[in-house]
Amino acid sequence: QFYDRDDLSLNASAGLSYINENFANQSTDTSIALTQAADYEQSFLEDKFRLFYEHDLLVPTDDTGAFIFNSEGGLRVPVTESFLGIAEINFDWDNDPADGVKEEDVVYKLKLGYEF
């Protein structure tokens, strides 16, 4: 945990994970993986805008070229006292995907949320 304040939060972690992938047309693949993750959130203009970003990286120890990277980032903006608008981009990368599957996946989201 590098920062943990009301206006800024930043942390990172690293360690080991267990991966269990079940493929529809192929066998199940399991392995131990090195993992690294980060999480960031910061507010601007007296909490009117909040930037956020998080990611995780999984690198199988038996095949380091088959890594998986997942991330999401965006902006939260208050609409009313309890509702907020969220613009978000999710980016995922599988460096060794199943047959017929693209390596990258990008999703753009516009959401309306409620805080209490």
Side-chain angles (χ1 to χ4, degrees), residues 35-60:
T35 185
Q36 189 278 326
D39 190 5
Y40 160 80
E41 186 168 340
Q42 186 169 8
S43 65
F44 296 94
L45 300 174
E46 298 177 6
D47 211 24
K48 297 278 188 233
F49 302 97
R50 293 188 73 81
L51 283 176
F52 65 93
Y53 172 79
E54 63 182 61
H55 78 253
D56 59 77
L57 173 66
L58 296 168
V59 181

Side-chain angles (χ1 to χ4, degrees), residues 12 16 21 31 45 52 60-61 63 70 73 79 82 95 99 116:
L16 295 175
E21 294 180 297
S31 64
L45 300 174
F52 65 93
T61 56
D63 184 6
N70 299 307
V79 177
S82 298
N95 206 50
D99 293 338
F116 50 92

Side-chain angles (χ1 to χ4, degrees), residues 10-27:
L10 175 62
N11 64 64
S13 62
L16 295 175
S17 294
Y18 180 75
I19 298 175
N20 182 17
E21 294 180 297
N22 296 313
F23 300 103
N25 299 326
Q26 298 175 11
S27 63

Side-chain angles (χ1 to χ4, degrees), residues 36-38 52-58 68-74 88-94 105-109:
Q36 189 278 326
F52 65 93
Y53 172 79
E54 63 182 61
H55 78 253
D56 59 77
L57 173 66
L58 296 168
I68 300 168
F69 177 80
N70 299 307
S71 68
E72 66 179 49
E88 181 177 312
I89 300 172
N90 295 350
F91 175 77
D92 299 330
W93 181 272
D94 186 339
D105 183 29
V106 180
V107 177
Y108 302 93
K109 297 180 180 181

